[in-house]
Amino acid sequence: MTFKTLSSLTALSLGAALVAGASAAQEAPKDAQDMTRDQNATWVDITSWNDDTVYDGWSAQSLLGEDAYNATGDELGEVEDLIVGPDGMIRRVVVEGGGFLDIGDTHAAIPWDEVKRNAASSVTVPLRGEDLDDYTRYPNVDDMRTEARNFRVREVIGDFLTAEGAGYGSIDDVIFDDDGQMTALVVRPNPSYGYRGRWVAMPYSAGTYDPRAAYTEVPYSSVQLDELRPFNYGNFRE
């Protein structure tokens, strides 16, 4: 059963779930410290970091927009986003499906441990009609509530990055290892600042990304970042 069929079966229950979710959101306490970057996070020492290890993992950009199938091979939709926890681990995969020309699409947040990543080309998820109620569905991914300090990968991609407080470039991609742990950011230095215009991969430290901040700040110097080897998508070992 595809998302198109599931969408028509769950229209009424979806509305009720959204109302309940909105009520819960209003009642949930907000811990300001919980929502910001972990001030005790330990940054990776970039001077001893082996940037070659990123090629043992996989790129978020390679999976976003790719197909999602159920266990019987039926196409359900596509991977819309990845929800990452404060420890840098993927929590859920957001699958978008149904509708026509993105009108009437719905989104299902599938726990990462229930998702099979088929290399970098697609995912298989256990979404069927009889267990639909086990997964929260949303008409728009921006309506999705996440726990404190969780963030969406699409929030990271495109973010401006500063090195020791000075502008450096923008984040073009996120690298994960096979377990779903976020390990690196792929950054394009801004040539207008005088940097070389090529991608570099820098280490990601768990607890250091703040989704509410206006930009991403790293404690590395622009000199250290500019001395990193150019990042090459063709070097992935998968």
Side-chain angles (χ1 to χ4, degrees), residues 46-153:
I46 199 170
T47 61
S48 60
W49 182 59
N50 179 9
D51 58 355
D52 187 56
T53 60
V54 301
Y55 299 114
D56 292 323
W58 53 277
S59 150
Q61 288 277 36
S62 70
L63 195 60
L64 295 175
E66 294 297 331
D67 294 331
Y69 299 90
N70 64 16
T72 59
D74 297 320
E75 185 178 340
L76 299 174
E78 64 182 35
V79 178
E80 170 67 16
D81 216 333
L82 304 171
I83 296 178
V84 181
D87 57 357
M89 280 292 298
I90 297 175
R91 291 285 190 267
R92 294 177 182 270
V93 174
V94 181
V95 175
E96 176 188 54
F100 177 70
L101 296 179
D102 289 334
I103 300 174
D105 282 359
T106 56
H107 301 77
I110 313 298
W112 172 245
D113 60 3
E114 298 181 20
V115 174
K116 176 186 177 183
R117 188 176 65 87
N118 307 319
S121 58
S122 65
V123 296
T124 299
V125 298
L127 189 59
R128 301 168 303 187
E130 57 267 33
D131 58 13
L132 177 64
D133 291 339
D134 294 338
Y135 303 100
T136 305
R137 294 167 63 81
Y138 302 83
N140 192 307
V141 70
D142 293 328
D143 296 331
M144 186 170 296
R145 289 186 61 221
T146 54
E147 298 174 358
R149 291 182 50 228
N150 284 8
F151 56 88
R152 292 188 289 112
V153 162

Side-chain angles (χ1 to χ4, degrees), residues 209-223:
Y209 177 73
D210 180 3
R212 299 191 309 170
Y215 51 83
T216 298
E217 182 177 358
V218 296
Y220 312 124
S221 71
S222 58
V223 173

